[in-house]
Amino acid sequence: MADKKLLRVAVIGGDGTGPEVTAEAVKVLKAAAELENFEIQFREFDLGGERYLKTGEILPEEVFQELKTFPAILLGAIGHPDVPPGVLERGLLLELRFRMDQYINLRPVKLYPGVETPLRDKGPNDIDFVVVRENTEDLYAGVGGFLKKGTPDEVATQTAIFTRKGCERCIRWAFEYTRKRNAKKRLTLVAKTNVLTYGHDLWWRTFQEVAKEYPDIQTDYNHVDACCMWMVKNPEYYDVIVTTNMFGDIITDLAAILQGGMGVAAGGNINPEPGGTSMFEPMGGSAPKYTGKGVINPIAAIAAGGMLLEQAGFASAGAKINRAIQAVTGTKMKSQAAGKMGYSTSEIGDLVVEALASV
Ligand code: IPM
Ligand code: MN
């Protein structure tokens, strides 16, 4: 008999409720591996606010090197009430995204059955699209500075960086993804070409050029402000959206609430190159006030686990997790809000495991 395929996963539980939700995702991933007959190994990494406060370390070089040997990282949450904003986000989350060149931020926006959306008259058939967000450039590049800091004449700059290589690889990936997804076969570029006449002109021209290689994909363009309006009015119009880092950050929070909020929404930071390390995370934060109470919703973390499998080459196992989640939201959970689910955090994990066997 051939050896079983092996998947090694690094787990960064992180802060607050992060470790609780990743524990449920790990539980579900193990069950999925058993059902689909592959081997999965986990290794936990202690990073986040607690470690930073104790030792001053955010991401030691040897830990980074070790993490790079894994094809996939499952991340819980980063953010600690005693650490000033930006320290952990820049030092850990963005550092991993940038240094591992995870140039795709993939955000599926799917309203699962039984989940409430704030949009009246919209259901699971209407809210089912994907945002592909560039993940390494734009205002996030950290280029800027102060002049005359702390004086009345202070100047601050923060420069958006857009490169041909950076937008082309993201746009190309989005076209490929739209083709593979095989739904409406429509790719919408979201930008602001009427104002950002340099950076977004580069995006626009690159989009038009790459589109020529994909005659089977319908191309489309929205300004970002109009996109926010259409996403609320006609979410069913969208199939795949490709956009810049900063706009992608903003519209994916709008999208997340359409699909039921932070308890449900998951994302992937993907380095699609051979040997690349990708990182998957629930969108929600560390929710300090719920820590240790067993009331936080693990669905988003479990969905991140499903995405991880899909990207790591275990597509049928990933799809199985997605179906199991829908069985649980559709027939068991009372709500997606922390403390109102009708079950504890670990009971939800158990329910998804149970559903896996029959989906
Ligand atoms: C996200 C988050 C991050 C971002 C923060 C935590 C730095 O909002 O993943 O969307 O802005 O990218
Ligand atoms: Mn965000």
Side-chain angles (χ1 to χ4, degrees), residues 164 200 304 315 358:
R164 171 72 197 210
H200 288 198
S358 57

Side-chain angles (χ1 to χ4, degrees), residues 36-254:
E36 293 273 316
N37 205 32
F38 63 92
E39 199 183 331
I40 190 160
Q41 274 174 12
F42 297 93
R43 171 127 165 247
E44 301 222 7
F45 287 82
D46 169 28
L47 295 169
E50 288 300 334
R51 176 159 179 181
Y52 172 66
L53 290 170
K54 253 187 265 153
T55 67
E57 292 171 325
I58 300 181
L59 180 61
E61 185 57 25
E62 65 277 13
V63 177
F64 175 78
Q65 293 303 335
E66 184 72 39
L67 282 169
K68 254 187 19 184
T69 68
F70 287 79
I73 302 172
L74 185 65
L75 175 68
I78 295 299
H80 194 290
D82 302 333
V83 180
V87 173
L88 298 167
E89 289 85 345
R90 275 231 158 261
L92 189 53
L93 185 63
L94 298 181
E95 186 75 6
L96 286 170
R97 287 180 182 172
F98 290 173
R99 285 190 67 195
M100 292 186 166
D101 208 18
Q102 294 163 344
Y103 60 85
I104 301 297
N105 190 312
L106 184 64
R107 291 288 333 282
V109 184
K110 188 174 169 59
L111 180 65
Y112 296 133
V115 176
E116 227 178 290
T117 172
L119 297 188
R120 186 167 42 101
D121 306 333
K122 299 292 179 191
N125 289 334
D126 303 310
I127 302 174
D128 186 0
F129 60 95
V130 177
V131 180
V132 177
R133 164 187 170 191
E134 200 288 322
N135 211 27
T136 58
E137 303 196 333
D138 199 346
L139 288 164
Y140 280 76
V143 173
F146 298 109
L147 187 64
K148 303 185 186 176
K149 191 176 179 185
T151 74
D153 296 327
E154 177 162 357
V155 177
T157 62
Q158 189 97 39
T159 303
I161 301 291
F162 301 103
T163 70
R164 171 72 197 210
K165 175 182 156 189
C167 65
E168 183 168 343
R169 64 186 183 175
C170 177
I171 287 167
R172 192 175 295 281
W173 196 89
F175 271 104
E176 290 289 336
Y177 187 85
T178 309
R179 184 179 269 172
K180 261 206 312 245
R181 179 169 149 93
N182 200 19
K184 300 190 181 81
K185 292 217 173 178
R186 177 187 296 140
L187 180 62
T188 304
L189 171 66
V190 169
K192 187 79 181 170
T193 52
N194 53 345
V195 174
L196 306 181
T197 50
Y198 307 117
H200 288 198
D201 185 65
L202 175 59
W203 269 74
W204 169 260
R205 282 183 282 116
T206 306
F207 186 73
Q208 303 305 323
E209 275 174 42
V210 176
K212 291 187 193 135
E213 298 167 36
Y214 298 87
D216 52 322
I217 307 296
Q218 184 199 339
T219 56
D220 175 39
Y221 174 81
N222 285 176
H223 289 319
V224 65
D225 44 354
C227 168
C228 292
M229 211 170 59
W230 294 123
M231 209 186 265
V232 171
K233 188 165 186 295
N234 298 116
E236 65 280 0
Y237 174 77
Y238 291 109
D239 179 12
V240 181
I241 288 173
V242 64
T243 191
T244 56
N245 202 350
M246 188 75 254
F247 289 170
D249 177 48
I250 297 166
I251 68 170
T252 53
D253 264 29
L254 175 58

Side-chain angles (χ1 to χ4, degrees), residues 20-21 24 294-298 341 343-350:
E20 289 169 59
V21 295
E24 299 314 309
V295 297
I296 197 79
N297 188 348
M341 302 184 291
Y343 300 91
S344 70
T345 305
S346 71
E347 282 171 341
I348 299 290
D350 294 341

